[in-house]
């Protein structure tokens, strides 16, 4: 039974409706005599007596009130007990090393703990003051005792001193900071609205990049293919046991002349068993006639950027004009090159053609659904609008085709940040190269299915841009591009969308909002915490209309992720903690429905021995053992994690929710309650649970 507030005063009200009647009982029937206008003199004493409640009525009222109170307490106890049960299960099944490692990023966790302790202390003051009748916090304009005669006790003196300190010294800076964050919030909302209007205009006018004429003949691609340009296809990977096979298979089946395409499998794995599996897969496709080679670096420096830089230094790369890049979990369709490479013809200023991502596991759980909302908006709105109107956007690191000349003139791959894709895109833009985004060309891939993997990915995606901004700011200011392009790069591309967004989101909803519950003089208006965020969430969900039922979880989860994004942004900007840490995003090895059908057919047949020519018996036995290990590793049970910062913020927001309940702030209470519960689910690693 859910608790109900504010109905205790209804029992004191006496309402009387209808016409007074007198009921006479005659056995065995009943008759009713209506009295239209009773005599006041005759019925006065009786009416006066009937208006008062007898002992039986009072007893029933007390029993009903007690029933309400017991129901409310039972509901609260049930929720609390379920919560404790979830915590106990998580703690009992958590690996000793399964908790989040804070490392050098402990500064934010320490600040949140200090904030939590202060909030609990202030809440204790408020509760004692509430039960003693000092209701100053309900109305900040009430009289605060000044005379010594008005002070009731030492505790009363401390409480009055806290009220004066709050009003004179704490509230003014909080008001100033909240106004600053609200302005940033509104500016970012306007930017989001303009992007959506630009996307609507593109849809209305049906604007999209088109291929002029027929660039290549429709002859058999197995022929000479002299008109087809030389294309290098690279698959960088590192310990990708779950997905290496499907990505290599998809790339090797690209519809392009075999003598005009070379596949490079760039393996940075430090696990020898995975190296052997990938070598065997490369050997299998090489025997089928695919021009494919395997490269492994002994010294793994520079992460993905170092891997790509090493591959581009090969002598045979000079024979190729374009390079297509696919991460290990990407599965391009066979016509990918025919849909992208022709856009380069007769466009010598074009340096990059970027395709859209499509996700095979977007409906796997709640976490993947929420990620799909964000990424759909990124590709459908941000990338498309910037590509059409500016010919510039951030390279997504995969599912794109580069003109090798553009890479070389821009300085090639650099190892200075963890966002080498954004780095090369900014430098190519500064050298005058243009980009094209193809929204109708989609490449299948995965989104992280666990919060741990998603959090590490988002940390890298938000710390890297701040590193890059600090490193390339001078190059942007001294470049020869137009002034409006410099302004777009600095103000919109970096500051507004990479720095301001995580800053105001965390500061406004995770810091200022709970503070204002204890400092009511700086209370945020309802439209800031309710109406504008919901409106912006609606705009974000427009590219993924099937996700409309998830608008509330999406809004709450985005506020939750602001902690990770803010921490990453600060770490990247000031080179703190793990700002240059690269952790490979864990994959699940999901496949599309057509791929699963193909695998089923393949397993139903015997594998011919011709496919394994050139492989010794010892190698065959090794490969079979490794395949068994792979199957076992896929079926391993997920290790539960405990995320400290999220849990600390959950208790902080729930504490603020209790304070808002005392002050009868309905909207603030429900927002803080649900936001705190969302932080709790994330902190206990329950957000990525399987959906039924």
């Amino acid at each position: 039974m859910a608790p109900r507030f504010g109905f205790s005063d209804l029992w004191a009200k006496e309402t009387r409706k209808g016409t007074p009647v007198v009921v006479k009982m005659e056995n065995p029937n009943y008759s009713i005599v209506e009295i239209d206008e009773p005599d006041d003199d005759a019925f006065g004493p009786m009416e006066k007596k009937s208006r008062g409640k007898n002992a039986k009525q009072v007893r029933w009222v007390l029993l009903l009130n007690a029933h309400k109170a017991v129901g409310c307490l039972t509901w609260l106890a049930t929720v609390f007990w379920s919560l404790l049960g979830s915590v106990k299960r998580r703690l009992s099944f958590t690996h000793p090393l399964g908790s989040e490692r804070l490392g050098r990023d402990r500064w934010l966790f320490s600040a949140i703990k200090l904030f939590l302790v202060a909030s609990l202390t202030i809440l204790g003051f408020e509760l004692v003051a509430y039960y003693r009748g000092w209701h100053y916090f309900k109305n900040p304009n009430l009289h605060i005792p000044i005379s010594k005669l008005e002070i009731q006790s030492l505790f009363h003196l401390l409480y009055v001193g806290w009220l004066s300190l709050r009003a004179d010294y704490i509230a003014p800076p909080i008001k100033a900071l909240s106004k600053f964050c609200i302005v940033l919030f509104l500016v970012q909302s306007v930017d989001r609205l303009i992007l959506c209007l630009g996307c609507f205009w593109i849809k209305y006018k049906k604007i999209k990049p088109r291929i002029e004429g027929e660039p290549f003949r429709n002859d058999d691609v197995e022929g000479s293919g002299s008109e087809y340009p030389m294309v290098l296809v690279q698959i960088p990977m590192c310990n990708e046991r779950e997905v290496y096979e499907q990505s290599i298979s998809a790339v090797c089946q690209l519809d392009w002349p075999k003598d005009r395409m070379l596949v490079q499998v760039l393996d940075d794995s430090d696990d020898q068993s995975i190296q052997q599996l990938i070598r065997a897969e490369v050997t299998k496709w090489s025997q089928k006639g695919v021009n494919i080679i395997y490269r492994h670096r002994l010294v793994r420096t520079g992460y993905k950027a170092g891997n790509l830089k090493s591959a581009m230094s090969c002598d045979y790369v000079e024979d190729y004009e374009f390079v297509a890049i696919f991460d290990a979990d990407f599965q391009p369709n066979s016509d990918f090159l025919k849909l992208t490479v022709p856009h380069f013809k007769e466009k010598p200023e074009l340096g990059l053609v970027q395709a859209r991502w499509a996700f095979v596991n977007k409906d796997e759980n709640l976490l993947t659904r929420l990620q799909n909302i964000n990424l759909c908006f990124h590709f459908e709105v941000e990338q498309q609008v910037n590509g059409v109107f500016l010919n510039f956007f951030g390279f997504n690191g995969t599912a794109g085709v580069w003109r090798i000349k553009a890479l070389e003139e821009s300085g090639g791959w650099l190892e200075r940040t963890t966002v080498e894709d954004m780095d090369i895109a900014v430098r190519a833009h500064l050298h005058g190269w243009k980009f094209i985004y193809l929204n109708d060309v989609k490449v299948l891939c995965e989104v992280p299915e666990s919060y741990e993997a998603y959090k590490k990915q988002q940390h890298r995606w938000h710390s890297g841009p701040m590193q890059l901004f600090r490193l390339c700011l001078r190059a942007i200011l001294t470049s020869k591009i137009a002034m409006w392009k410099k302004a777009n790069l600095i103000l919109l591309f970096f500051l507004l969308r990479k720095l301001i967004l995580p800053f105001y989101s965390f500061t406004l909803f995770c810091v200022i909002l709970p503070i204002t519950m204890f400092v009511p003089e700086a209370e945020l208006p309802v439209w800031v915490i309710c109406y504008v965020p919901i409106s912006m969430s609606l705009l974000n969900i427009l590219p993924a209309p099937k996700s409309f039922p998830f608008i509330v979880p999406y809004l709450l989860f985005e506020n939750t992720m602001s902690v990770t994004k803010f921490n990453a942004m600060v770490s990247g900007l000031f080179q703190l903690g793990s700002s240059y840490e690269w952790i490979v995003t864990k994959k699940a090895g999901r496949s599309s429905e057509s791929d699963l059908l193909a695998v089923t057919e393949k397993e139903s047949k015997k594998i011919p021995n011709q496919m394994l020519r050139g492989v010794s018996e010892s190698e065959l036995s090794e490969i079979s053992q490794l395949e068994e290990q792979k199957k076992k590793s896929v079926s391993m049970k997920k290790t539960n994690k405990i995320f400290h910062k999220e849990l600390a913020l959950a208790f902080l927001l729930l504490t603020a929710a209790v304070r808002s309940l005392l002050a009868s702030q309905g909207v603030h209470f429900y927002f803080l309650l649900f936001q705190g519960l969302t932080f709790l689910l994330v902190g206990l690693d329950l957000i990525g649970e399987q959906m039924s």
Side-chain angles (χ1 to χ4, degrees):
M1 178 180 177
R4 302 175 64 184
F5 308 101
F7 293 99
S8 58
D9 55 339
L10 293 180
W11 296 104
K13 296 181 180 179
E14 190 76 28
T15 58
R16 186 177 293 270
K17 296 182 180 180
T19 304
V21 299
V22 175
V23 181
K24 292 183 178 181
M25 299 177 60
E26 297 179 1
N27 191 25
N29 298 321
Y30 298 93
S31 64
I32 299 176
V33 178
E34 296 185 2
I35 302 177
D36 295 332
E37 296 181 356
D39 188 359
D40 293 339
D41 296 333
F43 293 94
M46 185 183 299
E47 184 180 3
K48 183 176 181 181
K49 182 179 179 181
S50 64
R51 288 185 179 180
K53 293 181 179 178
N54 56 32
K56 188 175 182 180
Q57 289 176 323
V58 171
R59 186 166 61 252
W60 275 107
V61 170
L62 292 176
L63 286 174
L64 288 174
N65 284 334
H67 178 70
K68 282 186 178 182
V70 171
C72 177
L73 292 175
T74 304
W75 180 83
L76 291 174
T78 303
V79 172
F80 185 68
W81 189 258
S82 301
L83 185 60
L84 284 180
S86 299
V87 174
K88 183 179 179 181
R89 286 193 299 272
R90 276 297 174 197
L91 293 176
S92 61
F93 288 106
T94 297
H95 192 270
L97 299 178
S99 297
E100 178 191 20
R101 296 181 180 180
L102 296 173
R104 288 174 290 179
D105 290 335
R106 189 177 292 273
W107 64 273
L108 183 58
F109 180 56
S110 302
I112 295 173
K113 285 197 300 184
L114 182 63
F115 190 12
L116 175 60
V117 171
S119 301
L120 290 172
T121 304
I122 298 172
L123 180 62
F125 266 98
E126 298 287 2
L127 287 174
V128 173
Y130 180 81
Y131 286 109
R132 291 194 177 187
W134 307 330
H135 302 310
Y136 303 118
F137 63 89
K138 284 191 174 182
N139 185 358
N141 296 322
L142 286 178
H143 170 66
I144 298 178
I146 299 177
S147 173
K148 293 182 179 180
L149 299 177
E150 297 180 86
I151 302 299
Q152 302 176 11
S153 62
L154 177 61
F155 184 83
H156 192 194
L157 178 63
L158 292 175
Y159 183 67
V160 170
W162 154 247
L163 294 180
S164 301
L165 176 67
R166 186 182 76 185
D168 297 336
Y169 299 101
I170 299 179
I174 293 178
K175 286 182 179 180
L177 182 59
S178 63
K179 289 179 180 178
F180 178 66
C181 289
I182 290 173
V183 170
L184 296 180
F185 184 25
L186 295 177
V187 171
Q188 197 271 338
S189 301
V190 171
D191 173 67
R192 190 63 54 97
L193 181 60
I194 292 174
L195 286 174
C196 290
L197 293 176
C199 183
F200 289 146
W201 180 257
I202 291 172
K203 296 292 184 184
Y204 176 71
K205 291 293 185 178
K206 298 181 180 180
I207 303 172
K208 67 177 183 178
R210 302 183 186 277
I211 301 174
E212 301 296 335
E214 186 69 24
F216 307 127
R217 293 184 306 177
N218 291 325
D219 299 339
D220 184 9
V221 296
E222 300 297 332
S224 61
S226 57
E227 292 190 6
Y228 288 81
M230 299 286 287
V231 178
L232 179 67
V233 183
Q234 297 177 331
I235 314 176
M237 59 179 63
C238 178
N239 297 325
E240 306 281 3
R241 182 189 294 271
E242 296 81 9
V243 295
Y244 76 92
E245 188 174 358
Q246 61 194 33
S247 62
I248 294 175
S249 174
V251 168
C252 289
Q253 297 179 56
L254 288 172
D255 188 11
W256 202 257
K258 292 184 178 179
D259 60 335
R260 314 292 291 180
M261 181 181 73
L262 172 65
V263 179
Q264 283 183 320
V265 179
L266 311 177
D267 182 24
D268 258 4
S269 303
D270 53 9
D271 188 335
Q272 291 186 359
S273 63
I274 300 177
Q275 295 175 25
Q276 293 178 16
L277 288 172
I278 297 174
R279 279 199 188 98
E281 186 70 16
V282 171
T283 302
K284 182 183 75 172
W285 285 102
S286 179
Q287 292 172 357
K288 289 183 177 182
V290 177
N291 192 11
I292 182 172
I293 61 173
Y294 173 86
R295 281 181 56 86
H296 177 73
R297 294 192 302 161
L298 296 177
V299 181
R300 181 174 171 251
T301 58
Y303 303 114
K304 182 180 176 181
N307 198 0
L308 294 172
K309 182 179 180 180
S310 174
M312 294 298 293
S313 64
C314 298
D315 295 336
Y316 54 80
V317 174
E318 298 177 357
D319 300 331
Y320 292 85
E321 187 177 356
F322 304 103
V323 55
I325 303 173
F326 299 101
D327 281 350
D329 60 315
F330 279 70
Q331 308 167 47
N333 293 328
S334 59
D335 59 349
F336 176 82
L337 293 179
K338 286 192 170 182
L339 295 175
T340 55
V341 175
H343 286 276
F344 288 97
K345 190 173 183 182
E346 298 181 358
K347 298 176 183 176
E349 76 284 356
L350 183 60
L352 168 67
V353 175
Q354 173 71 57
R356 180 173 177 169
W357 300 358
F359 312 105
V360 296
N361 61 338
K362 62 181 179 181
D363 298 325
E364 187 65 26
N365 53 43
L366 179 59
L367 177 62
T368 58
R369 289 179 179 271
L370 300 179
Q371 291 179 71
N372 181 60
I373 295 174
N374 262 342
L375 291 170
C376 281
F377 182 86
H378 170 69
F379 285 106
E380 185 83 19
V381 180
E382 292 180 341
Q383 296 290 78
Q384 187 170 210
V385 170
N386 290 326
V388 169
F389 295 105
L390 302 177
N391 291 122
F392 167 72
F393 47 82
F395 174 46
N396 294 117
T398 178
V401 182
W402 276 94
R403 191 188 296 272
I404 294 180
K405 182 181 178 181
L407 290 176
E408 294 173 347
E409 288 189 359
S410 304
W413 299 104
L414 298 181
E415 307 167 9
R416 56 183 183 174
T417 68
T418 57
V419 284
E420 74 293 327
D421 44 9
M422 185 181 296
D423 189 0
I424 188 64
V426 171
R427 286 185 281 115
H429 182 57
L430 295 179
H431 282 79
W433 292 97
K434 294 183 179 180
F435 303 162
I436 281 179
Y437 171 73
L438 303 178
N439 191 57
D440 53 351
V441 179
K442 300 179 180 180
V443 182
L444 291 176
C445 63
E446 291 185 19
V447 289
E449 296 182 9
S450 67
Y451 178 71
E452 180 190 11
Y454 180 61
K455 181 177 181 179
K456 291 176 180 177
Q457 182 196 69
Q458 292 300 305
H459 187 279
R460 174 164 53 87
W461 285 5
H462 286 81
S463 65
M466 291 298 96
Q467 286 180 309
L468 181 61
F469 176 66
R470 182 173 45 82
L471 294 172
C472 70
L473 178 59
R474 177 174 296 183
I476 295 174
L477 295 174
T478 58
S479 64
K480 297 180 181 180
I481 61 175
M483 189 60 65
W484 67 270
K485 291 184 178 180
K486 295 180 182 180
N488 173 68
L489 267 177
I490 296 175
L491 299 179
L492 295 181
F493 186 76
F494 279 112
L495 292 182
L496 182 59
R497 297 166 189 166
K498 301 297 188 298
L499 188 148
I500 290 177
L501 178 58
F503 170 77
Y504 86 74
S505 182
F506 172 75
T507 307
L508 192 61
F509 296 108
C510 299
V511 177
I512 295 179
L513 180 58
I515 286 179
T516 56
M517 294 301 98
F518 301 96
V519 186
E521 294 86 352
E523 181 180 342
L524 291 175
V526 174
W527 62 269
V528 172
I529 64 174
C530 183
Y531 303 137
V532 177
I534 290 179
S535 302
M536 292 301 102
S537 299
L538 284 172
L539 291 179
N540 285 5
I541 289 181
L542 285 179
K546 293 183 180 180
S547 301
F548 268 101
F550 300 95
I551 181 171
V552 174
Y554 171 73
L555 172 61
L556 297 173
F557 182 68
E558 281 301 292
N559 291 336
T560 305
M561 284 305 301
S562 66
V563 182
T564 299
K565 296 176 181 179
F566 176 80
N567 183 30
M569 181 268 294
V570 174
S571 299
L573 190 61
F574 300 103
Q575 289 187 300
L576 302 175
S578 55
S579 59
Y580 194 69
E581 182 182 9
W582 180 294
I583 300 176
V584 178
T585 305
K586 188 177 180 181
K587 317 293 193 315
R590 306 289 180 184
S591 300
S592 60
E593 294 181 5
S594 59
D595 293 334
L596 292 175
L597 291 174
V599 169
T600 305
E601 292 179 3
K602 183 178 177 182
E603 289 180 350
S604 64
K605 299 178 182 179
K606 270 191 173 182
I607 301 177
N609 295 329
Q610 297 174 354
M611 293 179 60
L612 299 173
R613 285 183 303 177
V615 183
S616 64
E617 293 183 1
S618 60
E619 289 177 339
L620 279 175
S621 62
E622 257 183 46
I623 292 173
S624 61
Q625 292 176 3
L626 292 172
E627 288 290 348
E628 291 179 2
Q629 292 178 8
K630 175 183 174 182
K631 292 178 181 178
K632 290 180 181 179
S633 66
V634 171
S635 61
M636 285 178 64
K637 190 176 181 181
K638 171 190 168 186
T639 302
N640 296 324
K641 294 282 183 179
I642 300 296
F643 299 98
H644 301 87
K645 290 192 287 289
E646 286 78 359
L647 280 179
L649 272 170
F651 293 124
L652 172 63
L653 292 172
L654 292 176
T655 303
V658 174
R659 173 62 179 78
S660 66
L661 182 62
L662 294 177
S664 302
Q665 296 170 309
V667 176
H668 296 74
F669 165 72
Y670 286 111
F671 182 86
L672 288 166
L673 175 64
F674 289 120
Q675 188 65 70
L677 293 177
T678 305
F679 268 103
L680 190 62
L681 291 175
V682 171
L684 295 174
D685 200 14
L686 294 171
I687 194 69
E689 293 293 321
Q690 185 82 14
M691 292 184 70
S692 57

